[in-house]
Amino acid sequence: MAQYDNQFYPQEPINYVWGDPNQSVYSDQGSYSMDFQSFDYDQAKTSNSMYPKQDIQFQPTSQPESQIQDFEDEPPLLEELGINPDHIVQKTLAVLNPFKQTNPQILQDTDLAGPLVFCLLFGACLLLSGKVHFSYIYGIGVFGCLGMYCLLNLMASIGPSLGVTISVLGYCLLPMVGLAAMGIVFSLKVLIGFIITGLCVFWCAVSSSKLFVTALGMEKQQTLVAYPCALLYGIFGLLVVF
């Protein structure tokens, strides 16, 4: 048992001096020489100097001038969608003041954003007064626009397109929107209500006929154009009153 203990636990301590590369370690089992290799730091510096450091500079990627010019020349988003706010304002002012001169070029714009908004406002005002007439509005509007389109193409040498016809008739629905808003507060089934309704129908007919005549160059035929327009807006007036 003592021999077994001496094999693993030597009685003489191991004397090791740090820093001596060729020293020997003595134990009961014998002496062992520990040879350490020295590391040459000067050689390491020389080897590192063979591969000089490269300064890596990160530069932000810049777009070519041609792409920047293309972005600057792109039209606005509303213009790409076919919506011109300037034409919308001018058409609305032309409807509100039918006796004002209107630029014929803006009437050739097939803008349907304004008519859609006015139709929705007209239906919303009728809904607030307890009348659900959305189907009547769209149905009468579609057949009325098709009828006016066919009639104007028969009357004029160069008739308007269907988009122009819908745009003009839709914008001229604005007085009817005001009449429907008035019907929310007051009842129009009285004499004064009938008079106001007749004035709104006359207003819409004069505005639409004036815009059609200006766009098509039919200055002497405004009365003929105003009559079918008055019939169309008269139906909308009946929807408001009754």
Side-chain angles (χ1 to χ4, degrees), residues 118-119 121-144 173 175-184 186-189 193-194 197-198 200-201 230-242:
F118 293 155
C119 287
L121 287 176
F122 184 63
C125 292
L126 292 179
L127 183 62
L128 292 176
S129 61
K131 302 172 184 178
V132 185
H133 292 331
F134 285 99
S135 59
Y136 292 103
I137 294 171
Y138 292 125
I140 295 170
V142 169
F143 285 105
L173 191 66
M176 283 294 162
V177 176
L179 181 65
M182 190 182 299
I184 300 174
F186 306 103
S187 176
L188 299 175
K189 295 181 181 180
F194 295 150
T197 303
C200 289
V201 171
L231 294 178
L232 176 61
Y233 291 111
I235 299 175
F236 288 112
L238 293 175
L239 290 178
V240 176
V241 176
F242 300 102

Side-chain angles (χ1 to χ4, degrees), residues 29-226:
Q29 301 297 327
S31 62
Y32 301 94
S33 63
M34 301 178 65
D35 297 332
F36 296 93
Q37 295 181 358
S38 61
F39 182 76
D40 192 356
Y41 291 95
D42 296 333
Q43 184 179 0
K45 293 181 180 179
T46 306
S47 60
N48 290 331
S49 62
M50 296 175 62
Y51 302 97
K53 295 183 179 180
Q54 296 180 358
D55 296 334
I56 301 175
Q57 298 179 358
F58 295 95
Q59 297 180 356
T61 58
S62 59
Q63 297 180 350
E65 295 182 358
S66 59
Q67 294 183 1
I68 297 176
Q69 293 178 357
D70 293 339
F71 290 143
E72 293 178 354
D73 296 336
E74 286 185 356
L77 180 59
L78 292 178
E79 187 175 349
E80 290 183 355
L81 295 176
I83 300 174
N84 194 335
D86 188 20
H87 288 183
I88 293 174
V89 174
Q90 292 183 18
K91 284 184 179 181
T92 305
L93 294 177
V95 172
L96 295 176
N97 187 8
F99 301 103
K100 180 183 178 181
Q101 284 295 103
T102 308
N103 187 5
Q105 293 182 356
I106 66 172
L107 301 176
Q108 302 299 329
D109 185 13
T110 58
D111 175 37
L112 301 179
L116 181 60
V117 172
F118 293 155
C119 287
L120 292 176
L121 287 176
F122 184 63
C125 292
L126 292 179
L127 183 62
L128 292 176
S129 61
K131 302 172 184 178
V132 185
H133 292 331
F134 285 99
S135 59
Y136 292 103
I137 294 171
Y138 292 125
I140 295 170
V142 169
F143 285 105
C145 292
L146 291 176
M148 285 299 300
Y149 169 72
C150 296
L151 182 62
L152 291 174
N153 278 275
L154 293 174
M155 294 177 63
S157 57
I158 301 176
S161 63
L162 183 60
V164 172
T165 305
I166 297 174
S167 179
V168 172
L169 293 176
Y171 273 101
C172 293
L173 191 66
L174 182 58
M176 283 294 162
V177 176
L179 181 65
M182 190 182 299
I184 300 174
V185 183
F186 306 103
S187 176
L188 299 175
K189 295 181 181 180
V190 293
L191 180 59
I192 187 66
F194 295 150
I195 295 174
I196 294 174
T197 303
L199 291 177
C200 289
V201 171
F202 178 76
W203 189 354
C204 295
V206 172
S207 299
S208 58
S209 60
K210 185 246 182 181
L211 294 179
F212 280 127
V213 165
T214 304
L216 302 176
M218 302 166 55
E219 288 80 5
K220 298 181 180 181
Q221 299 179 2
Q222 183 174 359
T223 306
L224 297 175
V225 177

